[in-house]
Amino acid sequence: MAETTKVGSVAYAKRESDYFEKRGLTRYAGIWSLWALGVGAVISGHFSGWNFGFMTGGWGGMLVAGVIIAIMYMGLVSSIAEMSPALPHTGAAYSFARTAMGPWGGFITGLFENVEYVLTPAVIVTFISGYFGSITGMDTALYPILWIVFYAIFLALNIYGVALSYKVTLVVTLISLAVLVVFWISAFTHMDFGRWALNIGAGPDGKAVELPEGNGSWFPFGWQGVLATLPFAVWLFLAIEQVPLAAEESVDPKRDLPRGILLGFATLLLSAFMIVLLNPSVAGIGSFALGSSLEPLLDGFRAIYGDAGATVLGLVALTGLIASFHTILYAQGRQVYSLSRAGYFPSALSVTHPKYKTPHVAMIAGALLGLAVMLIIWFANGGGGAGETQLGDDIIGTVLLNMAVFGAMLSYIMQGISFILLRRNQPNIERPFKSPVGIPGAVITIIIAAVTLGYQMQDPNFFKGVIWVVLWCAVGIVYFAIVGRHKLILSPEEEFAMEHQKA
């Protein structure tokens, strides 16, 4: 029987060296691999999802919401760029919070982030099926088969070696950016901003209506519309924070993690501005049509090049969704792996592949959970039968997407608090990089994330997702209180936290 040591409200079991030998990772990632991991994770949000914000804020509301969210992420990425090389462990957000707030704080932060990483791939594969179905005319009833196929393919690519996974990530990220650049260049000569981007007005019931001649107000729903659009603007940057999960697979984490994170954010900042400006401005499209579209970039390509090249353009446009799907599956595996290796989740989930040294059990378990949630929602809402052609928009788009955003906002608040506590309580930790915005940047991140949460809970469509996140977290907390806290293991994150607490 394993020797255990009680520390406060938790107990640690001592493990022999073979425990960690079965859970080994391989160092491979350099700065450009980390850049691609961050950009690739987010880039699908520039292809689909962000555009729903036009229906709550109009074009000006979407722009200002995007600026507010960009400020939030600037504070966040600066904070994690400081914390990740100081605590270079796979646990990332859980690791930061564990060192700053103890085991309970670490677990709850990890649980919030787990919601994001399990459900975000599910949202993205829904958009993939929307693009694919639009291109091929596939019956929506067959979409679950498409989800399973995509999960299987990209799980395999992630499992069969970290080098292969990163090479695929770099290639699909570069292709995705190239697709966006081609669209930007094409759109510049086909844009009519006033006529199309400003074609949303507020109807008598307060809902969006189309203005046939355009040239409407930048802010048809006022300041409330801007705030209501914040959750959609998050999709332009969601998951950039996953880069620190690669800490133990980075060749030089103390040097490369901050550079990869900040360079990735700068890339996304430029791309976000260009897509928000140009996609709704293309003649024949407009903000109103994009506000309910599952394939806004494809709509833009069609308006510019016509239907003749739609199939080819649509297939090319899929690369952005594929890039994010692939990279967030990577993050999902590492996030589950780190919590499992430390005993917060069942330790069997952290076993790595004996040949490829990838956390295959964690990735498969996370994928199965994400698929299960999708299928439950799918069949509970008619299973894509007659009249369900917009299921991805009406159901997945208002439940899973918002569950993922809600979990992310909670984790951002916890990471901001972790940064502040680490700065104040543990100033002597080696910090190879220091955040240029410091504690004020972390405070701004917390405030904006909290406001975004508030507006999610006011929207009845968002609230459905909120209820499920609360239930998800409640089940996790009950498990940890009854079982998990008695089975913790001295993983690298836990040892680091305990050593510095003693100091």
Side-chain angles (χ1 to χ4, degrees):
M1 186 171 177
E3 178 185 344
T4 60
T5 303
K6 189 169 179 60
V7 181
S9 64
V10 302
Y12 289 91
K14 183 176 177 59
R15 291 288 186 269
E16 302 300 328
S17 60
D18 65 329
Y19 177 85
F20 293 100
E21 287 172 3
K22 293 177 181 177
R23 291 161 174 79
L25 299 171
T26 302
R27 293 196 181 274
Y28 175 85
I31 184 172
W32 290 109
S33 294
L34 296 170
W35 168 83
L37 184 66
V39 174
V42 180
I43 204 68
S44 69
H46 298 196
F47 284 67
S48 286
W50 68 275
N51 50 295
F52 297 148
F54 287 134
M55 302 305 278
T56 56
W59 188 85
M62 184 70 224
L63 176 68
V64 175
V67 171
I68 294 171
I69 292 299
I71 292 170
M72 179 187 77
Y73 274 96
M74 183 63 210
L76 177 69
V77 299
S78 296
S79 297
I80 64 176
E82 176 174 313
M83 292 188 291
S84 58
L87 292 80
H89 310 120
T90 299
Y94 133 67
S95 177
F96 309 151
R98 168 63 185 92
T99 304
M101 295 183 278
W104 276 96
F107 174 71
I108 291 172
T109 302
L111 196 59
F112 293 155
E113 197 173 48
N114 183 250
V115 174
E116 175 187 356
Y117 289 138
V118 168
L119 294 182
T120 300
V123 178
I124 295 170
V125 84
T126 302
F127 290 134
I128 289 174
S129 65
Y131 265 73
F132 194 84
S134 178
I135 295 164
T136 64
M138 175 185 281
D139 187 340
T140 56
L142 300 177
Y143 279 8
I145 296 174
L146 198 62
W147 302 340
I148 293 168
V149 168
F150 270 94
Y151 264 107
I153 291 171
F154 288 95
L155 277 174
L157 289 173
N158 267 294
I159 289 170
Y160 290 133
V162 66
L164 174 61
S165 180
Y166 273 110
K167 287 174 182 176
V168 171
T169 297
L170 183 59
V171 169
V172 294
T173 299
L174 290 173
I175 293 173
S176 301
L177 285 173
V179 171
L180 288 171
V181 170
V182 169
F183 177 75
W184 302 339
I185 294 170
S186 303
F188 269 120
T189 58
H190 290 78
M191 65 182 294
D192 184 346
F193 175 78
R195 166 66 183 86
W196 295 102
L198 302 179
N199 74 340
I200 289 181
D205 59 355
K207 294 184 179 179
V209 295
E210 184 173 11
L211 302 178
E213 302 302 320
N215 296 299
S217 169
W218 278 40
F219 304 99
F221 307 102
W223 185 245
Q224 288 296 316
V226 173
L227 296 176
T229 305
L230 292 176
F232 298 108
V234 167
W235 210 244
L236 293 166
F237 301 98
L238 182 72
I240 179 69
E241 72 278 4
Q242 77 172 39
V243 177
L245 289 165
E248 291 180 37
E249 291 165 291
S250 171
V251 175
D252 188 351
K254 293 189 176 183
R255 184 195 69 176
D256 291 343
L257 280 172
R259 295 179 181 181
I261 293 165
L262 295 175
L263 185 59
F265 178 68
T267 304
L268 292 165
L269 200 58
L270 172 62
S271 179
F273 174 75
M274 296 297 283
I275 202 68
V276 171
L277 170 65
L278 295 172
N279 206 344
S281 299
V282 172
I285 299 297
S287 295
F288 185 82
L290 289 190
S292 58
S293 174
L294 284 175
E295 55 275 344
L297 192 71
L298 179 57
D299 290 339
F301 273 128
R302 281 175 174 153
I304 295 169
Y305 294 105
D307 290 334
T311 299
V312 173
L313 292 169
L315 289 171
V316 172
L318 275 172
T319 56
L321 300 173
I322 288 170
S324 292
F325 185 65
H326 175 72
T327 52
I328 298 179
L329 281 179
Y330 168 95
Q332 174 199 95
R334 273 64 183 177
Q335 202 267 344
V336 174
Y337 160 87
S338 64
L339 287 166
S340 168
R341 182 179 64 175
Y344 291 91
F345 288 170
S347 59
L349 294 173
S350 56
V351 173
T352 53
H353 195 284
K355 179 179 179 181
Y356 303 112
K357 295 300 179 183
T358 52
H360 63 299
V361 179
M363 282 190 282
I364 292 169
L368 289 175
L369 179 57
L371 268 172
V373 173
M374 291 179 77
L375 291 171
I376 289 170
I377 294 174
W378 175 265
F379 287 111
N381 289 276
E388 297 291 337
T389 56
Q390 291 296 314
L391 184 73
D393 182 4
D394 296 340
I395 305 301
I396 303 295
T398 55
V399 179
L400 290 188
L401 185 150
N402 299 305
M403 288 175 71
V405 171
F406 194 77
M409 292 304 102
L410 291 170
S411 79
Y412 297 170
I413 291 171
M414 296 296 280
Q415 288 178 79
I417 293 171
S418 298
F419 178 85
I420 294 168
L421 291 176
L422 288 170
R423 273 282 188 98
R424 290 183 172 177
N425 300 335
Q426 303 197 34
N428 297 323
I429 293 177
E430 180 191 1
R431 289 172 167 86
F433 174 87
K434 293 200 74 171
S435 165
V437 295
I439 290 177
V443 171
I444 289 171
T445 295
I446 293 168
I447 292 171
I448 296 175
V451 171
T452 303
L453 283 176
Y455 273 85
Q456 276 192 285
M457 289 188 286
Q458 289 181 27
D459 187 318
N461 290 323
F462 282 104
F463 195 68
K464 297 174 186 176
V466 171
I467 292 171
W468 286 109
V469 172
V470 171
L471 289 173
W472 184 309
C473 293
V475 170
I477 290 170
V478 169
Y479 166 81
F480 185 65
I482 296 174
V483 180
R485 69 187 180 92
H486 303 294
K487 296 187 175 183
L488 298 189
I489 297 158
L490 288 175
S491 67
E493 296 97 329
E494 296 295 313
E495 288 187 336
F496 182 93
M498 293 178 71
E499 287 170 8
H500 285 79
Q501 283 174 347
K502 290 176 182 177

